[in-house]
Amino acid sequence: MAMNSWQSRLRYRLISKRYMNILQSIQQLDGEILLLIQQYLRTDMLTPFMKSVTFLGNGGWFWILCAVVLLAVPKTRKTGYAAALSLIFGAIVTNLLLKNIVARPRPFAEIEALIPMITKPKDFSFPSGHTTASFAVALVMLRMLPKKFGIPAVVLAVLVAFSRLYLGVHYPTDVLTGFVIAGGKYAVSVDRANETGRQTGTLDCPEDRKI
């Protein structure tokens, strides 16, 4: 029994060490990508544009506005409902739970050579709330609206996500995780909106993708 206990502790330590090595490797790769972006992609012409793009994601205000507008129009009410649900679910998982549980410092606090291009955010880094909010709505729009609305929304979401890397306020894995969260929550929200519409009839204004 003592031998089994000793072996279990040793196995746990080996797994923990391997896990920490993986995390350190990811952290190092994250930092190297940000420094490459800073060195080769930042320009005086592009920086103001990226600041404007990232502003659209501040507090999710632009995407909240999109959801409100979609809710206000009867023909797109179901899409607005799904977008609102997706935003709420994403905010709970990202901003209320994961950011505080993981408590990952911002990259500019860990990488001395990295220069942030906007006012330093004071909250934690992982995952990216801007990315989650952007894709939470954009993916709903892509799924439920005509492509002439859905594709530009997704392009804007991609730009918002990249702007967080460009400006030096998020790691690549922060952004990637934000996208994954949004991808999962948007699908649930669309299904929920469709189910609610069928049960109540209040959302039976089908977006026939011909708007």
Side-chain angles (χ1 to χ4, degrees):
M1 181 67 67
M3 178 64 70
N4 289 337
S5 176
W6 177 83
Q7 289 175 336
S8 297
R9 288 198 299 270
L10 178 60
R11 187 179 299 112
Y12 175 78
R13 290 177 182 175
L14 290 174
I15 293 173
S16 298
K17 183 177 180 180
R18 184 178 302 174
Y19 177 70
M20 290 304 298
N21 289 338
I22 292 173
L23 289 181
Q24 289 173 359
S25 298
I26 293 173
Q27 178 82 3
Q28 183 178 354
L29 179 60
D30 266 353
E32 290 174 354
I33 292 173
L34 290 180
L35 291 176
L36 287 172
I37 291 173
Q38 175 175 272
Q39 182 176 357
Y40 294 107
L41 298 183
R42 282 186 184 176
T43 66
D44 293 337
M45 292 182 61
L46 189 56
T47 296
F49 173 73
M50 286 297 171
K51 288 182 179 180
S52 298
V53 167
T54 215
F55 170 72
L56 296 176
N58 288 353
W61 73 266
F62 177 80
W63 302 104
I64 293 172
L65 179 61
C66 288
V68 170
V69 170
L70 291 169
L71 278 167
V73 178
K75 196 172 184 180
T76 61
R77 190 158 295 154
K78 187 186 293 184
T79 302
Y81 180 62
L85 284 179
S86 189
L87 271 172
I88 293 169
F89 291 156
I92 291 173
V93 173
T94 300
N95 295 83
L96 296 183
L97 296 178
L98 288 180
K99 275 185 180 288
N100 295 302
I101 292 172
V102 178
R104 187 185 198 182
R106 294 279 177 169
F108 51 77
E110 299 289 309
I111 306 172
E112 185 176 352
L114 185 65
I115 303 172
M117 303 301 290
I118 57 174
T119 302
K120 296 178 180 179
K122 299 184 183 301
D123 60 343
F124 292 116
S125 189
F126 180 92
S128 168
H130 279 65
T131 302
T132 303
S134 298
F135 280 103
V137 176
L139 291 175
V140 168
M141 294 175 67
L142 182 66
R143 171 83 173 269
M144 302 183 74
L145 294 179
K147 290 183 179 180
K148 64 182 179 181
F149 298 113
I151 291 177
V154 170
V155 170
L156 179 58
V158 171
L159 288 173
V160 171
F162 178 72
S163 74
R164 307 306 285 171
L165 306 178
Y166 180 94
L167 297 171
V169 293
H170 272 297
Y171 290 102
T173 46
D174 299 340
V175 169
L176 178 60
T177 304
F179 169 76
V180 171
I181 292 170
K185 297 305 177 183
Y186 108 88
V188 173
S189 299
V190 169
D191 290 342
R192 179 60 179 170
N194 287 329
E195 181 64 24
T196 301
R198 285 192 294 268
Q199 291 178 353
T200 66
T202 58
L203 299 177
D204 286 341
C205 300
E207 294 80 355
D208 59 2
R209 305 179 74 88
K210 297 179 181 179
I211 298 174

